[in-house]
């Protein structure tokens, strides 16, 4: 079970009301390679992965929920002072007529999140490569988002998140090598 | 952010290996009215709901993740000792060839979870009725699951979860009345 | 069975060709809380609901089809004289290349309607809360649409529809209280 | 708008409680080529089709709703006296834990209906071929259903519905030829 | 099996960098009536269609893959020199943050391709009408795309593709008549 | 463009009519990690990947279509002589009423294929890890399929396909290392 602590993993600041950037950021909230996909993917694999990797999946999965909360906070801050007209101007008209200023688990084009984005194979090597790929894809998405803003405060938060994905990818690569070594040792003896 | 505590909200016991019941229980893991839908629904609404309801949504949303973990544990315990043939016999053949014994966010028919199951309107009254309906629907699902098993250990856990949904529904009904009272008071003055 | 009567439930007028508003209105045609979702939800629940509520579901479900026709008429009137360029300018380029000026059951972002938006639990209390929530959500959507237009003719039709959702919500709330009273009486005797 | 008349287009009788056949029949309720798909497809195309075909689409679309109601009645009659165990035995366990004995717009495998099944091109010839194909596909589905039952009462209703699809296909073929003739005449003069 | 030949079926030229048109063209890459849908539809039907139609389906299905490659080449040429800002300006911001300049099987609104767009009934007449409708719908889409550009090079390629769809529709119409004649002959003797 | 050669990449034999195994094999036809997903994923990434990897993606993507054809042939051979009753007995009743003996791009549970299963990031490292993960997941699926059959002829074909996935994974791992080496060299100079 989880206990909620009322703070963000890393401070989130935005320089200005910017619904245009909010629309794009939603990709990391409810998009194919966003934080929801990451958190749910790792926590789900815990039951069939070898014991020694469970802790890693729990830690990273739980951290991804903290990232999801950071993204939500960014989107909220970027839109809370926008008028309906400004939201529509930024391409959020379709979002507004359904959700007003509420968030939703959708990608930047407005497509709802689906579990079809993630995999769980019950094969530890395959699952860890799935996880490495997930982190590499999330890293790329953060880069494409940074490309489209010059808000230094926002960039600071996005760079923190991108860096965390790189660290996670490294941890998963170490885990897969460990499991492969073990598998090879078992074949020998 | 959330901190993981390595214990279940309520103990989960199952009387026997029973993949048939596991297949049905997956409905509350990744089905339309399951625990994932509940947790994600409430936590997502926090940003646009009036301040005085945020705590309620955070508390219940966080608890639903604990329920999700309980369901996952049940499914795992019901299937971990089953042979591939027993899994197929129980209707889990299609699950096995994709996921082996890993869990997945799908309903009992094998349809992946989608955010289309949930709503966020940015209207506090509408959002709270969405939440009341969600709890009433989850309560019904637990009842239909209980109808299909005679495993007393499993029934004990399912009754606990059903009871929690009833409590949550009550809390949401109180919240909607509070907001309506407030709205009416504001209209008068 | 149904008999078609060649008139609208309430007159639909629009002040000008306005494809931008048409794009947004499509939310109530094929969106998650639109008229199609409402009509199909209520008519589908009729078979497992207690007899005394069947008539209510049939009446409201049938009326929602009349609303669907009103929305279709609005969208058609708002777009029929627009050039392809004007449609694209209004964000309807993706719609045009697939559908030209035909309507489609999609939301304002262009996502096709899915039955995942609606529920049927076979539990009368849960089903009626689902219906109350549906009406509250549709009411909110009409409000968000009204926020984004100043076409007085269109607003007149939208206010009529919003008002009907409020009436329906009230009818469903009465029905759920009636069923709960009855359930409580049955427990006593 | 539509007026509900409390009778079925054609009488529906079933010889016995038969949840196995109910599961299969759901295909024509919420499947890709079922009655919901047909009704919604034709009624939606009315706004952009030439005037002389509107009446045909309205008539057939309205009739398909009557067929939808017939299918719903069949499914209800085939399952209303079944125990939960009998429903599960018939492969309806996943349906039961979500919907109990309520109907749902899903196909026989339990996949929710989606508007992706249907098309509206705003090109009269293309739309009418879409409609011809729809009727031919529905005809085939009725045949595959008839293949799997020996309930003479049910077969009688299914044959009626199959026959109607053949008639509709013929009507659409006549309409497309009429429009092509007209188009050719316009090219000459 | 297939052998790749490193050339396009027909030359693809574009007059200028034009991400706006690329966004619309994606409809024929991953939209409901696009080239992917066509290729996969025909190749899939080959196993249950009468022998004398298999060759036709294989030929046209294989050609549709060549068309898919032409569309991909157009989209790539229209976007490869665009800056991220130009892509966002053209409505490709949501695409960029997920895919950068990579292609994706989605429609012009950004909805991922789904097999729900296509049908396979195992009834030769129904399958061929499905295929005729597919070609008529693709023809219409090409027309709606041509409506929205004045790039003469692009129009040349699009007209080639539209023409091919007309030829394919004709071939499928001949095939369905052949099968109907045969069926009628078999009924007589 | 592609040229069709009328032969299979590797011979496909099955020992007996076995619709039960056909139902499971469909996972590799239209499931999340099946051959369609593989072929479409690689061919789609070709436009934004560095030139030196394009040939690899084209080769493997084209080979995956040959695998798709092998799977189709297996499914057809396993079902062509089955009666409707045998198909239903094997869990293919829902498939039969929609598709009869035609194939369809769905997974073993009957969920239609969706492009949401695959990714294209426009970042070569991320794309290649996506591809490695895809091959590892496909390898696992072949293993889970082999677990559920004792048909030696079928196992022979499945082992061939599993082996090819391992080779492809290795090729993609070499490619990602090559690109990383190059990236590191570029940073130094």
């Amino acid at each position: 079970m989880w206990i909620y602590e009322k703070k963000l993993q890393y401070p989130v600041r935005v320089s200005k009301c910017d619904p245009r950037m909010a629309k794009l950021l939603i990709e990391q909230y409810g998009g194919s390679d966003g934080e929801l996909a990451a958190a749910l993917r790792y926590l789900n694999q815990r039951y069939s992965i070898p014991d020694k990797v469970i802790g890693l999946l729990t830690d990273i999965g739980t951290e991804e929920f903290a990232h999801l909360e950071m993204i939500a906070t960014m989107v909220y801050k970027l839109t809370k002072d926008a008028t309906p007209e400004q939201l529509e101007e930024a391409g959020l008209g379709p979002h507004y007529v359904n959700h007003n200023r509420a968030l939703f688990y959708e990608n930047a084009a407005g497509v709802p999140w689906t579990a079809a984005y993630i995999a769980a194979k019950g094969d530890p090597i395959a699952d860890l490569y799935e996880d490495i790929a997930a982190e590499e894809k999330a890293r790329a998405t953060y880069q494409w988002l940074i490309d489209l803003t010059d808000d230094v405060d926002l960039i600071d938060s996005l760079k923190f998140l991108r860096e965390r994905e790189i660290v996670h990818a490294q941890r998963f690569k170490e885990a897969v090598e460990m499991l492969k070594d073990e598998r090879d040792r078992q074949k020998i003896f």
Side-chain angles (χ1 to χ4, degrees), chain A:
Chain A
M1 62 182 292
W2 286 263
I3 292 152
Y4 184 70
E5 193 174 357
K6 200 174 170 176
K7 68 168 190 182
L8 295 177
Q9 188 193 356
Y10 185 86
V12 162
R13 277 187 305 274
V14 305
S15 305
K16 61 172 188 286
C17 174
D18 186 359
R20 173 201 145 264
M21 198 59 206
K23 178 176 171 55
L24 298 173
L25 268 175
I26 289 173
E27 185 71 29
Q28 283 301 70
Y29 189 66
S32 59
D33 307 310
E35 299 293 355
L36 180 66
L40 295 180
R41 180 188 274 115
Y42 307 141
L43 295 175
N44 175 67
Q45 291 176 359
R46 291 184 301 158
Y47 299 90
S48 52
I49 210 86
D51 283 2
K52 62 183 56 170
V53 189
I54 294 176
L56 180 65
L57 288 174
T58 303
D59 288 353
I60 299 183
T62 301
E63 184 181 347
E64 306 289 15
F65 273 127
H67 296 178
L68 188 68
E69 200 184 23
M70 286 176 64
I71 298 285
T73 305
M74 288 179 212
V75 171
Y76 172 69
K77 289 191 173 184
L78 291 166
T79 55
K80 74 185 166 66
D81 298 323
T83 62
E85 290 71 26
Q86 288 172 322
L87 291 168
E88 192 191 4
E89 179 69 25
L92 286 168
H95 182 93
Y96 182 85
V97 297
N98 186 341
H99 307 296
N100 194 292
R101 279 178 193 78
L103 291 169
F104 198 65
Y105 303 107
E106 63 193 359
N107 69 7
V111 179
W113 192 86
T114 163
Y117 292 144
I118 70 175
K121 301 300 295 183
D123 173 288
I125 306 292
D127 281 347
L128 284 167
Y129 273 113
E130 161 82 4
D131 301 343
I132 294 166
E135 295 291 343
E136 295 284 351
K137 292 186 282 182
R139 171 188 57 73
T141 304
Y142 279 120
Q143 187 59 55
W144 311 150
L145 284 165
I146 289 168
D147 287 356
L148 287 169
T149 184
D150 52 10
D151 178 333
V152 290
D153 289 322
L154 191 60
I155 289 175
D156 177 66
S157 298
L158 294 175
K159 282 191 169 169
F160 169 81
L161 291 168
R162 185 186 56 179
E163 191 59 28
R164 292 305 298 159
E165 311 299 26
I166 294 170
V167 170
H168 295 168
Q170 189 53 38
R171 301 288 306 276
F172 286 131
K173 285 171 190 171
E174 291 160 10
V176 82
E177 293 309 321
M178 181 186 69
L179 292 184
K180 286 199 279 193
D181 286 353
E182 202 160 84
R183 185 190 58 189
D184 294 344
R185 268 202 307 279
Q186 289 171 339
K187 281 182 184 162
I188 292 167
F189 301 106

